[in-house]
Amino acid sequence: MKWLTSLVLWVLAAVAVAWALDNSGMVSLFVGGQRIDLSLNLAVIGLLALAWLLVRLSGIGAALRMAAAKAKWARVQRSERGVVALLVDGISLHLAGRHGKAHAAASEALLNMNQQSSEDGMQLPRAASLRVLALWVMAESAQAMRKLPQAQQHLDDALAVDVRNDGAAAQEGVMLRSLRWALDVRDATLAQQRLRALPKAVSTRIQTWRSRLDLAQLQDQPMAALEAVRTLTKHGVFTGFASLSLQRSLAVKVIQSTADQSALQAFWKQLPADERDSVDVSLAWAQRLLDLSAADDAPDAASSTAQRVMQQLQPIWKRYDDLTASQHVRLALCVEPLVPHLAQEWVAQVEAAQNQRASDAVLQYLAAQTYLKRQLWGKAKPLLERAAKNLQHAELRRRAWVALADMAQQQGDPAAATAAWQAAAHVSKD
């Protein structure tokens, strides 16, 4: 009724103006051979009324168009809420382990999006993100049910979505998840391909470095795993003793996998001091250096290697009481090949350590070997006999019996030599 009131007011105002003004002016209109005379005031009032009517009709048309747009937007919002609800259901079902129903919910969400787009011609807000997430849930569910071809198809569809306006973050998340899927099924080749396909910005993220670590361990590449652990340590993923222990164990694997002395020394120089001074790392380096230099027959090279190894093992030798039983054995295995090249001071240290720990079978074996190399058979024989009976490590026990057999042969005692050889053979069968 507001518009009617307004019309009446305008008419009354026009009539008042007409009465107040001079009405002597005339306007003649010729229509179809007919002449129509109107007063000037009436013509002006008619024009004003027509203009007002046109304005009102234009406003009514705009209101109708806005109402239609609002109704269409309301339908889009209803569709969006339905799609989001289905996606939430799909994610919840996937987390609950109900992968079949999760796949069905995400598939229905994707179908609703396609239907809404075809019917109204309007895209849902953040349509790309919703589409990528729906395909991700379907791929996750198919992957969990070991439907790998179907999971790959959903993954390809998710990565093919146009994400220029939105959805880039969701698509990057799908890429990272696909990398984890390949690692979960221990497919190193596929994981390597997906890792290389990651954008540069994504390849430097913490989650990517975690996957790099798992991939390196799967491919048995300790150097790459060590690099990943160091990067994750910088970001606070690994801290304290856990980080240091992991780095040391990987450093040992890298040392054991080196192919030549130059590669070993290059890696050894770039190791941080806290890793290089570790007992396990030092023993691994010493053993690997001895193995690589075993083919070198030059006396000077053997002597130089012995000095380098013993210099590195000196701090470990001083902490002998703090070492574990396995570290005792590894230390003996490193020192034994160096016995012919040991200086007299080292021989004295071995003898003193054995005297202080008379019941230690490893030191008994090591001291006996130093005596044996210097042909002090009277001192070596009783220590070897005790070590052969008391050693828990099979390899050292076998070596002790072999040394006793060689000594008996050199002393002209074939019966003792035969008994020692038989004992050594029995140890090899354990």
Side-chain angles (χ1 to χ4, degrees):
M1 294 298 294
K2 184 177 180 181
W3 68 273
L4 183 60
T5 303
S6 202
L7 177 61
V8 172
L9 290 176
W10 276 102
V11 171
L12 291 176
V15 171
V17 171
W19 281 101
L21 297 176
D22 184 15
N23 198 23
S24 59
M26 297 292 292
V27 175
S28 298
L29 299 177
F30 295 90
V31 180
Q34 300 293 326
R35 176 180 174 180
I36 301 175
D37 294 327
L38 300 172
S39 67
L40 179 61
N41 293 338
L42 181 59
V44 171
I45 292 172
L47 290 175
L48 292 175
L50 179 62
W52 175 85
L53 181 61
L54 291 176
V55 170
R56 294 301 299 176
L57 290 175
S58 176
I60 292 172
L64 291 174
R65 289 191 298 271
M66 185 175 295
K70 287 182 177 180
K72 190 174 184 179
W73 180 247
R75 291 194 301 272
V76 172
Q77 287 184 318
R78 285 196 300 270
S79 298
E80 181 187 19
R81 286 193 292 268
V83 170
V84 171
L86 287 170
L87 271 180
V88 171
D89 290 343
I91 295 173
S92 301
L93 291 167
H94 171 69
L95 294 176
R98 304 173 68 179
H99 306 299
K101 291 188 175 182
H103 188 281
S107 179
E108 185 178 355
L110 193 61
L111 179 61
N112 288 353
M113 289 181 63
N114 294 333
Q115 289 179 348
Q116 188 278 329
S117 177
S118 61
E119 290 175 359
D120 295 332
M122 291 184 64
Q123 291 288 342
L124 297 179
R126 304 186 66 81
S129 295
L130 293 174
R131 188 176 298 277
V132 171
L133 290 176
L135 290 167
W136 163 69
V137 173
M138 296 167 68
E140 284 275 11
S141 301
Q143 182 74 21
M145 293 185 291
R146 289 296 183 265
K147 298 179 180 178
L148 302 185
Q150 189 175 358
Q152 182 63 44
Q153 182 60 50
H154 295 321
L155 172 62
D156 294 339
D157 292 342
L159 297 181
V161 174
D162 185 0
V163 293
R164 286 176 294 180
N165 297 323
D166 73 281
Q171 202 170 68
E172 291 172 358
V174 172
M175 292 180 183
L176 291 174
R177 285 300 303 155
S178 68
L179 177 56
R180 292 305 314 174
W181 300 338
L183 292 172
D184 290 342
V185 297
R186 304 186 65 80
D187 190 337
T189 303
L190 181 59
Q192 187 68 39
Q193 293 174 356
R194 291 178 176 177
L195 180 63
R196 291 174 180 172
L198 290 177
K200 185 176 180 180
V202 182
S203 63
T204 58
R205 295 175 185 170
I206 293 179
Q207 188 173 352
T208 306
W209 278 106
R210 286 181 179 272
S211 298
R212 288 181 190 272
L213 174 58
D214 294 339
L215 178 59
Q217 292 176 330
L218 180 60
Q219 294 178 321
D220 194 19
Q221 296 179 348
M223 190 64 196
L226 182 59
E227 180 185 357
V229 170
R230 287 173 176 169
T231 302
L232 291 171
T233 299
K234 291 179 182 178
H235 289 86
V237 177
F238 299 115
T239 57
F241 179 77
S243 172
L244 186 59
S245 176
L246 187 54
Q247 291 182 58
R248 287 174 176 176
S249 63
L250 290 172
V252 169
K253 291 184 178 180
V254 174
I255 289 172
Q256 293 172 344
S257 64
T258 51
D260 51 56
Q261 293 192 45
S262 60
L264 177 63
Q265 289 307 107
F267 177 74
W268 184 250
K269 288 180 180 179
Q270 63 91 24
L271 269 182
D274 54 354
E275 295 180 25
R276 188 168 55 243
D277 295 338
S278 163
V279 174
D280 291 331
V281 176
S282 295
L283 291 175
W285 171 82
Q287 187 62 59
R288 188 58 181 165
L289 181 60
L290 292 173
D291 293 340
L292 293 174
S293 60
D296 193 347
D297 297 331
D300 294 340
S303 178
S304 175
T305 300
Q307 292 177 6
R308 291 166 58 193
V309 171
M310 294 310 296
Q311 183 180 2
Q312 184 65 32
L313 296 182
Q314 180 69 36
I316 301 176
W317 181 264
K318 293 180 178 179
R319 292 186 293 158
Y320 185 87
D321 290 337
D322 298 330
L323 304 182
T324 64
S326 63
Q327 290 172 341
H328 288 162
V329 173
R330 293 169 61 194
L331 178 60
L333 291 173
C334 289
V335 174
E336 181 186 353
L338 306 177
V339 168
H341 309 285
L342 291 181
Q344 188 59 37
E345 58 177 314
W346 262 101
V347 177
Q349 289 185 30
V350 173
E351 186 175 8
Q354 194 277 320
N355 291 332
Q356 292 175 3
R357 307 169 186 84
S359 60
D360 191 321
V362 175
L363 287 177
Q364 291 171 5
Y365 171 81
L366 198 55
Q369 289 291 348
T370 60
Y371 296 144
L372 192 60
K373 297 299 182 183
R374 285 159 178 77
Q375 295 184 349
L376 300 176
W377 294 344
K379 288 186 175 182
K381 185 175 181 179
L383 290 177
L384 281 175
E385 290 175 344
R386 289 158 56 188
K389 296 178 181 178
N390 298 328
L391 280 169
Q392 299 297 319
H393 190 266
E395 177 61 20
L396 286 184
R397 190 163 71 251
R398 187 190 64 81
R399 291 187 183 187
W401 283 116
V402 170
L404 284 171
D406 290 339
M407 187 187 304
Q409 286 180 342
Q410 294 182 28
Q411 290 178 338
D413 189 351
T418 301
W421 282 118
Q422 290 177 347
H426 289 163
V427 172
S428 300
K429 294 177 181 178
D430 289 346

